[in-house]
């Protein structure tokens, strides 16, 4: 692997033991995957932020490190809202341990936003190289923005944040970003909502697995693209997809699709995912809400009071910039939490069934929270929460 003089200095320990060890980790990873060099990154998103995931030994490892991130970096969602954990009914002992993990990352120069939507917090552009961890964020960055990131593990994303580089392999290389199958959607998508696109992602992920799909027959907007990718990364292992005429690389390139497997998806396959099972609570914001989604939730809640628990999740930076909208949502009795989500927080475990407008949450709530999940449009979710 080709290293520049600065890398050699770091590897020789001239910039401290932490930077030395973390660069060794990146070089070892690069060698495993055949990377020829390291590539500078614009930002990192670090998983392994929940105490539930990393535990005592992970925390000890973080505390043993002594260096600072050299690029903007945020954390993945954790098990609780950092400032409103009591309101979520979180156990004080768990909260103290979680705060210790967050403090350890803060000492390493990681921004304390804990979110799967870092693209709302710092500018991410076409062609940027990144080291992001969370599967929906990775899929959005690669597909919707046209940036380049592999799906990093927590230690490799942290190492990349501190070194400012990542091994250049996988989706960092243009030759690995070509479509590998076609999904032809036959449906009246003009009427589709974000939830329909989430359901499409839920269905398509099972067909696609870990290949790179190329969609035809859909024209989703940014939030719908977010929903497709998140769901495909959950039911499959999709880290990049293209949509004809919509996503940036599909607009820029003319792909040769001859000889590639093409699978049709019919409206009925999407419709059957929507049910009307009774629910105990409603949860929105998987992935974390965009400003436009918060605005739409607030609009639908005007004049309404919730009769069922309604949780909304978004990045702290997005909440802060949309404080009036968030206040309006909370006037209905709904709660808008940062730093955590319906899947990683234990808060949803108390409900037997949860309504969501996300294909990813439809896949994960039953597995991770133990209850049933029902997908519906945002309008239906608000109606059910307030009827
Ligand atoms: Fe984000 Fe949690 Fe969904 S991390 S994508 S809100 S499962």
């Amino acid at each position: 692997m080709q290293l520049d003089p600065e890398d050699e200095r770091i590897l020789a320990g001239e910039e401290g033991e932490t930077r030395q060890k973390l660069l060794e980790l990146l070089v070892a990873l690069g060698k495993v995957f055949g990377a020829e060099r390291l590539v500078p990154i614009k930002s990192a998103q670090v998983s392994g932020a929940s105490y539930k995931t990393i535990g005592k030994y992970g925390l000890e490892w973080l505390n043993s490190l002594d260096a600072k991130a050299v690029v903007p970096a945020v954390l993945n969602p954790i098990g609780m809202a950092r400032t409103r954990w009591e309101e979520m009914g979180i156990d004080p002992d768990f909260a103290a341990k979680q705060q210790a993990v967050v403090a350890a990352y803060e000492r390493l120069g990681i921004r304390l936003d804990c979110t799967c939507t870092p693209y709302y917090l710092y500018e991410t552009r076409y062609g940027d190289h990144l080291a992001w961890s969370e599967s929906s964020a990775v899929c959005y960055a690669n597909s919707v923005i046209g940036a380049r990131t592999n799906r990093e593990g927590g230690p490799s994303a942290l190492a990349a944040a501190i070194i400012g580089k990542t091994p250049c392999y996988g989706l960092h290389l243009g030759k690995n970003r070509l479509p590998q199958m076609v999904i032809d959607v036959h449906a009246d998508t003009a009427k589709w909502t974000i939830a329909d696109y989430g359901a499409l992602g839920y269905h398509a992920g099972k067909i696609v697995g870990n290949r790179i799909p190329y969609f035809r027959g859909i024209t989703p907007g940014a939030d719908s693209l977010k929903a497709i990718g998140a769901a495909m990364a959950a039911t499959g292992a999709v880290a990049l997809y293209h949509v004809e005429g919509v996503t940036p690389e599909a607009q820029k390139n003319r792909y040769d699709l001859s000889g590639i497997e093409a699978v049709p998806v019919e409206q009925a396959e999407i419709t059957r995912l929507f049910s009307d099972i009774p629910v105990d609570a409603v949860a929105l914001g998987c992935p974390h809400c965009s400003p436009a989604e918060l605005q739409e939730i607030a609009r639908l809640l005007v004049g309404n009071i919730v009769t069922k628990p309604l949780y909304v999740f978004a990045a702290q930076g997005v909440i802060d910039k949309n404080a009036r909208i968030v206040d309006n949502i909370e006037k209905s009795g709904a709660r808008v939490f940062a730093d955590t989500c319906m899947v990683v927080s234990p808060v949803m475990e108390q409900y037997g069934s949860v309504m969501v407008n996300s294909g990813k949450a439809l896949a994960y709530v039953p597995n991770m929270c133990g209850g049933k999940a029902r997908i519906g449009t945002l309008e239906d979710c608000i109606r059910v929460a307030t009827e």
Side-chain angles (χ1 to χ4, degrees), residues 28 32 52-53 61 90 94 108-109 143 229 273 315 327 340 368 375:
V32 167
K52 211 164 125 185
T53 323
W61 180 69
I90 300 291
F94 176 84
L108 297 171
S143 315
L273 296 173
D327 277 354
T340 186
M368 310 276 288
I375 189 169

Side-chain angles (χ1 to χ4, degrees), residues 222-238:
D223 285 323
S224 296
L225 288 165
K226 179 173 77 167
I228 299 174
M232 279 198 296
T235 56
V238 175

Side-chain angles (χ1 to χ4, degrees), residues 167-374:
C168 193
Y169 70 94
L171 293 176
H172 291 282
L173 302 171
K175 65 175 183 176
N176 296 328
R177 300 175 65 87
L178 306 177
Q180 295 168 326
M181 78 176 301
V182 173
I183 303 277
D184 279 316
V185 180
H186 304 291
D188 185 5
T189 57
K191 294 190 189 135
W192 275 18
T193 64
I194 293 171
D196 293 287
Y197 281 108
L200 171 65
Y202 178 98
H203 178 69
K206 294 181 177 179
I207 301 168
V208 174
N210 63 359
R211 288 177 283 182
I212 299 172
Y214 182 92
F215 284 88
R216 295 191 293 212
I218 56 172
T219 50
D223 285 323
S224 296
L225 288 165
K226 179 173 77 167
I228 299 174
M232 279 198 296
T235 56
V238 175
L240 165 64
Y241 69 97
H242 304 290
V243 180
E244 188 170 67
V246 175
T247 52
E249 283 170 62
Q251 288 189 44
K252 221 172 145 80
N253 301 308
R254 218 170 250 147
Y255 297 118
D256 177 10
L257 301 172
S258 57
I260 292 182
E261 182 189 2
V263 175
V265 170
E266 309 296 335
Q267 177 67 55
E269 293 170 285
I270 305 305
T271 305
R272 72 175 167 75
L273 296 173
F274 289 75
S275 74
D276 55 4
I277 59 166
V279 295
D280 305 319
V282 177
L284 305 169
C286 172
H288 280 174
C289 286
S290 67
E293 287 174 306
L294 287 178
Q295 200 163 12
E296 184 60 3
I297 293 167
R299 188 186 72 75
L300 292 166
L301 280 170
V302 169
N304 284 309
I305 296 293
V306 298
T307 52
K308 283 190 176 64
L310 170 58
Y311 297 87
V312 181
F313 299 96
Q316 187 65 57
V318 171
I319 291 175
D320 292 345
K321 280 200 179 141
N322 295 276
R324 235 192 21 226
I325 293 170
V326 168
D327 277 354
N328 286 338
I329 294 174
E330 294 208 327
K331 270 184 199 144
S332 72
R335 285 290 162 262
V336 183
F337 290 121
D339 309 318
T340 186
C341 77
M342 61 196 80
V343 170
V344 298
S345 144
V347 73
M348 306 315 290
E349 289 168 12
Q350 61 188 301
Y351 305 113
S353 56
V354 179
M355 187 165 183
V356 298
N357 70 335
S358 151
K360 173 166 179 175
L362 180 68
Y364 275 19
V365 164
N367 291 338
M368 310 276 288
C369 311
K372 291 183 189 149
R374 162 181 167 187

